[in-house]
Amino acid sequence: HFLPEFQARVRVLRRLGYLQDNDQLKLKGKAACAMSTSELVITELVFDNFFKNLEVEAIAAILSCMVFQQKTSDAEPEWTEELLSAKKRFLKLAHKIVEAEVAEGLTANDADFDQQFKFGAVEVVYRWSRGEQFSEIMNYTDVDEGTIVRCITRLDEVLRCIKDVARIVGDVDFGAKMDRASQSIKRDIVFAASLYVQ
């Protein structure tokens, strides 16, 4: 049972350009190894230059869907055109993975695929990244404060992993951009030392 699934996953990695025919890692595969979460999705974003024309605030905001898990109200968020366009591109690139999995028999369809990405914190993270106060950004969500704090701290981990990917692919400017995105969210109460963990 496990061997056929393993072989199918290897074929997916070959199809997407992570492995050579002899199963040696390509650069894309080495980059994916540096990630600790959503390895394939983030690597596809990196190698498609998804982040190239996005402002650091938009990068942080869109990537929040990788770590935010809470269900939110169906209220229409106030997204900029840049964020709306980035969400569309994000989902299109992520679908490449599902298409490869369907082609290799790992997934029956992509009906539930979009559900794994929750975009409910995008506006809040965008505003936080732009320098708004925590009390102000909480007016744009029905999620509790602790969930938003956890989302932002986990997002910082993702941004630091992507910075490592930039080092692996040898793109200093891209690494600096990820560092700026990380610095834009790493401030104030969200990153204050907790009395509970000291």
Side-chain angles (χ1 to χ4, degrees), residues 79-179:
W79 287 23
T80 64
E81 280 301 314
E82 180 182 32
L83 290 174
L84 290 169
S85 172
K87 179 184 176 183
K88 262 187 221 161
R89 281 186 57 223
F90 176 95
L91 290 172
K92 182 179 175 188
L93 286 168
H95 271 278
K96 278 176 58 177
I97 297 162
V98 175
E99 289 166 10
E101 289 178 346
V102 169
E104 296 299 341
L106 281 173
T107 307
N109 59 54
D110 61 356
D112 297 329
F113 180 73
D114 290 352
Q115 300 308 311
Q116 70 178 296
F117 303 111
K118 306 252 189 302
F119 291 90
V122 169
E123 184 175 5
V124 172
V125 172
Y126 182 73
R127 290 175 177 278
W128 178 253
S129 183
R130 291 177 56 100
E132 290 189 26
Q133 295 300 311
F134 194 77
S135 58
E136 293 170 6
I137 68 168
M138 291 309 298
N139 292 324
Y140 295 92
T141 185
D142 58 355
V143 176
D144 66 77
E145 295 166 348
T147 300
I148 296 300
V149 168
R150 275 191 304 281
C151 171
I152 293 172
T153 55
R154 288 184 63 209
L155 173 60
D156 184 56
E157 293 169 18
V158 171
L159 289 167
R160 284 187 282 132
C161 284
I162 298 174
K163 184 179 164 190
D164 289 343
V165 170
R167 184 183 42 76
I168 290 168
V169 299
D171 191 336
V172 176
D173 293 338
F174 176 54
K177 191 172 196 177
M178 290 302 107
D179 192 47

Side-chain angles (χ1 to χ4, degrees), residues 49-62:
N49 288 321
F50 174 81
F51 304 107
K52 185 177 174 93
N53 295 317
L54 288 178
E55 297 295 325
V56 294
E57 298 88 357
I59 290 170
I62 288 297

